[in-house]
């Protein structure tokens, strides 16, 4: 009996490990409709695609990145947003990554922030590469995106682990009637955002958690905290914070530490306004 149990446990562990090698390739498209009286009529039906945590490097090849770009272009996004952590392990992956991302197309523009891995490898080179790829950097900044005579605000905050995030530049010119989207890499930052300023934000997009990447049942992982204490409160999906804010956390595209995922499929997030 004990021998059979041991064999069963070994077989289960083997199959789980085998699947964990496969799951990083199983990118899903996760759709979130967002409704708000602040959305201008001309923006109804706008398709926003959010990509984060690509981690181009030894675990996510340029060939896979090329396929990702082709797939995203096939979604025909109106706007593209990026949540940081574009590369993994070595700055030599920065330029090839953005050479591929430069092929993306979105008529309302492409906007992005840096993640902790980008800061730790070469933040300035990443900023330069983003600019050459046509991606507007919105770390601690905001832009107005226009469609006809209407507009929405797209802002960002820099990474809370490796920089000094500041929401003020993103929201300082908005009113209570404006629709505001904030992109930041790590959801931890919202623990430190002023409540009034947070109330101006309708949609917040983050990555960083990877959906815990190896997503064991809660009882097995409740003592584990992903990098910082606050991140443990978030895994992936939609959350409501403050009075008005939809917080959407993507599991991201790539992997860190090891090329494995378990019960945490990679995601392309699609927002419909």
């Amino acid at each position: 009996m004990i021998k059979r149990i041991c064999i069963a446990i070994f077989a289960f562990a083997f199959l789980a490990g085998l699947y964990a090698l496969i799951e990083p390739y199983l990118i899903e498209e996760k759709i979130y409709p967002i409704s708000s009286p602040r959305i201008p009529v001309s923006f109804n039906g706008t398709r926003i695609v959010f990509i984060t945590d690509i981690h181009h490097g030894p675990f996510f090849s340029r060939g896979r990145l090329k396929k990702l770009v082709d797939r995203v272009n096939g979604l025909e996004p109106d706007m593209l947003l990026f949540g940081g952590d574009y590369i993994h392990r070595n700055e030599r992956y920065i330029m090839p990554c953005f050479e591929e991302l430069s092929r993306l197309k979105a008529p309302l523009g492409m906007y992005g922030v840096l993640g902790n891995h980008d800061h730790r490898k070469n933040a300035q080179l990443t900023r330069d590469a983003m600019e050459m790829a046509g991606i507007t950097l919105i770390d601690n900044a905001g832009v107005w995106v226009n469609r006809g005579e209407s507009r929405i605000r797209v802002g960002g905050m820099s990474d809370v682990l490796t920089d000094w995030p500041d929401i003020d530049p993103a929201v300082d010119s908005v009113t209570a009637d404006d629709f505001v989207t904030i992109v930041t890499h790590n959801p931890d930052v919202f623990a430190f955002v002023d409540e009034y300023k947070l109330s101006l934000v309708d949609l917040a997009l983050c990555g960083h958690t990877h959906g815990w990447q190896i997503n064991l049942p809660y009882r097995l992982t409740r003592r584990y905290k992903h990098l910082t204490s606050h991140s443990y409160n978030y895994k992936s999906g939609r959350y409501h914070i403050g009075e008005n804010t939809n917080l959407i956390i993507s599991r991201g595209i790539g992997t860190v530490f090891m090329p494995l995922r378990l019960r945490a499929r990679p995601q392309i997030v699609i927002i419909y306004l």
Side-chain angles (χ1 to χ4, degrees):
M1 182 65 178
I2 295 177
K3 183 178 179 180
R4 290 181 179 178
I5 292 174
C6 290
I7 292 172
I9 292 172
F10 176 80
F12 177 80
F14 175 79
L15 292 173
L18 183 62
Y19 174 74
L21 287 168
I22 297 170
E23 188 172 274
Y25 294 84
L26 305 180
I27 301 175
E28 67 176 12
E29 296 170 11
K30 184 65 176 179
I31 298 174
Y32 294 97
I34 299 294
S35 299
S36 170
R38 295 172 171 173
I39 299 173
V41 173
S42 62
F43 280 86
N44 284 345
T46 297
R47 184 186 295 116
I48 300 172
V49 172
F50 176 56
I51 303 169
T52 187
D53 297 274
I54 296 171
H55 290 287
H56 171 48
F59 301 152
F60 196 90
S61 69
R62 185 162 182 171
R64 289 173 68 187
L65 180 55
K66 183 180 184 299
K67 290 179 181 179
L68 173 69
V69 168
D70 292 339
R71 180 170 174 176
V72 172
N73 277 335
L75 296 173
E76 298 182 343
D78 296 297
M79 185 190 304
L80 275 163
L81 300 176
F82 298 89
D85 276 8
Y86 304 94
I87 60 99
H88 186 49
R89 287 196 178 177
N90 195 303
E91 66 180 52
R92 68 185 175 87
Y93 295 106
I94 295 173
M95 294 307 297
C97 177
F98 286 97
E99 286 171 7
E100 292 297 336
L101 295 182
S102 69
R103 299 192 299 107
L104 289 166
K105 300 176 182 178
L108 293 181
M110 303 191 293
Y111 312 90
V113 298
L114 272 61
N116 54 296
H117 284 261
D118 308 311
H119 279 281
R120 287 168 179 161
K121 298 309 173 187
N122 193 326
Q124 189 55 53
L125 181 60
T126 303
R127 296 184 189 104
D128 294 342
M130 290 175 72
E131 182 178 1
M132 288 187 287
I135 301 170
T136 300
L137 180 68
I138 52 173
D139 270 338
N140 295 342
V143 296
W144 289 104
V145 177
N146 298 284
R147 175 171 271 177
E149 297 182 356
S150 300
R151 64 183 189 174
I152 62 175
R153 185 73 168 175
V154 176
M157 287 188 288
S158 59
D159 178 58
V160 71
L161 289 178
T162 52
D163 204 1
W164 298 96
D166 183 2
I167 198 173
D168 287 352
V171 301
D172 63 359
S173 61
V174 308
T175 71
D177 296 323
D178 293 314
F179 182 82
V180 179
T181 297
I182 294 289
V183 182
T184 190
H185 180 64
N186 188 331
D188 286 7
V189 71
F190 291 105
F192 311 105
V193 172
D194 176 82
E195 288 186 13
Y196 169 72
K197 293 171 185 175
L198 183 61
S199 73
L200 298 172
V201 178
D202 300 275
L203 174 63
L205 299 172
C206 305
H208 182 66
T209 68
H210 291 226
W212 295 352
Q213 193 167 308
I214 303 298
N215 181 21
L216 299 174
Y218 176 76
R219 288 184 179 275
L220 297 178
T221 59
R222 63 183 179 179
R223 293 183 181 178
Y224 166 73
K225 300 185 178 182
H226 183 89
L227 298 182
T228 62
S229 59
H230 295 290
S231 294
Y232 187 61
N233 296 322
Y234 305 116
K235 182 167 59 175
S236 65
R238 189 200 297 243
Y239 301 83
H240 295 280
I241 56 175
E243 296 179 5
N244 307 307
T245 307
N246 286 277
L247 171 62
I248 293 175
I249 301 174
S250 171
R251 298 185 200 125
I253 298 293
T255 58
V256 292
F257 307 123
M258 50 190 171
L260 303 174
R261 280 182 178 267
L262 184 63
R263 299 174 66 237
R265 285 179 62 185
Q267 290 181 330
I268 298 169
V269 168
I270 305 169
I271 309 292
Y272 282 101
L273 302 185

